[in-house]
Each structure stands twice: as C-alpha cells, then as structure tokens.
C-alpha cells in the first residue's frame, strides 16, 4: 500500500466533495460526487460512505477498483488516488462509519462502507509532469 505524504493529507483534509470514478466489468465509466470520504489514521486507507450508490455499487461489485480526484482552489495542486476496495455492511468499521454518517443527519442512510487501500497516486497538474506517478 501507499501512504499519502503530509502535503497530500493536508489537501485531502480540505476537500468537501470528492469525484469518485468507477468502471463496470466492461469498462463503462461512472463518476459521482462523494461527501463522506475520510482518510484513516494509517494514511493509506480511505473510507467512503455509500449513501445513494446505484451504478457505482454495481460497478464496485463487478470491478472493485476506484479512483479519487483531489483538487480545489484551497488544495494548491491536484492529484489522483487509485486503489482496490472492499465493501462492508457489518462489523466494527461499518458501525463506526454508520455512526459518523448518522451524526450528519438522518437523511443519509449509510448503507455500506467502501474501504479503499491506496496503491497509486498520480500528478494531475497540467504540464510536463501531468500523469506522472507520485507514489
């Protein structure tokens, strides 16, 4: 696994909405906005709450890999995170996520927890290093 460096962690913490990309087993892409996306203490794991997944959940079951994009005026740069996922609907991690999501309001169902292990990080700033593997 890959751990985000302090600059990346700082940028991640400033994000409010994360674009989450998935693809079906046939390669059909899907991108959705995610509001609950939390970097865990090990700096190599991301928790994503499934509140309203439809095509995304189908894609995750068929092809358990995702990409997240970290960018915004407050991040001073951008990067893409990729990695495999595991879907949890019970257990200690799921219960912890469920409580965190429910503390934000009852309108969020917190149906499942998507646990992403970071395996790759890429540069997204335009220029000669665009697409370069950072970690």
């Amino acid at each position: 696994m890959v751990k985000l460096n302090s600059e990346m962690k700082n940028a991640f913490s400033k994000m409010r909405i994360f674009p989450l990309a998935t693809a079906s087993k046939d390669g059909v892409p899907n991108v959705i906005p995610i509001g609950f996306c939390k970097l865990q203490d090990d700096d190599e794991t991301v928790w994503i709450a499934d509140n309203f997944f439809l095509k995304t959940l189908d894609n995750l079951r068929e092809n358990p890999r995702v990409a997240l994009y970290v960018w915004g005026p407050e991040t001073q740069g951008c990067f893409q995170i990729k990695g495999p996922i595991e879907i949890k609907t019970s257990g200690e991690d799921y219960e912890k996520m469920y409580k965190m999501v429910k503390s934000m309001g009852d309108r969020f169902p917190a149906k499942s927890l998507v646990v992403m292990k970071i395996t790759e990080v890429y540069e997204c700033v335009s220029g000669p290093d665009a697409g370069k593997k950072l970690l």
Side-chain angles (χ1 to χ4, degrees):
M1 298 310 130
V2 173
K3 292 186 177 197
L4 297 185
N5 64 35
S6 59
E7 191 174 288
M8 292 171 177
K9 290 190 302 186
N10 184 47
F12 194 102
S13 72
K14 293 179 179 179
M15 293 287 293
R16 293 192 180 257
I17 301 293
F18 292 80
L20 176 71
T22 62
S24 70
K25 67 180 176 186
D26 298 325
V28 177
N30 187 54
V31 178
I32 61 169
I34 295 295
F36 185 94
C37 189
K38 306 289 183 199
L39 183 63
Q40 296 305 293
D41 291 337
D42 65 4
D43 300 331
E44 64 185 30
T45 304
V46 177
W47 281 8
I48 303 163
D50 165 13
N51 286 305
F52 305 108
F53 291 0
L54 181 61
K55 289 181 288 185
T56 298
L57 189 58
D58 289 342
N59 285 356
L60 293 175
R61 288 180 177 140
E62 291 179 3
N63 181 5
R65 295 192 53 80
V66 299
L68 285 172
Y69 190 69
V70 178
W71 175 84
E74 62 281 344
T75 64
Q76 300 177 355
C78 63
F79 55 96
Q80 183 188 70
I81 302 170
K82 294 183 179 187
I85 63 93
E86 178 183 359
I87 301 169
K88 296 184 178 189
T89 57
S90 63
E92 185 178 329
D93 289 346
Y94 169 78
E95 293 300 328
K96 185 176 177 183
M97 177 278 304
Y98 183 87
K99 289 177 185 173
M100 292 186 329
V101 170
K102 287 299 186 177
S103 73
M104 298 171 8
D106 279 335
R107 69 185 185 277
F108 302 113
K111 297 183 289 184
S112 61
L113 168 63
V114 175
V115 179
M116 173 190 187
K117 291 295 186 181
I118 300 170
T119 56
E120 302 166 283
V121 179
Y122 292 90
E123 177 66 72
C124 291
V125 174
S126 62
D129 289 335
K132 179 182 175 184
K133 189 170 185 175
L134 299 172
L135 301 173

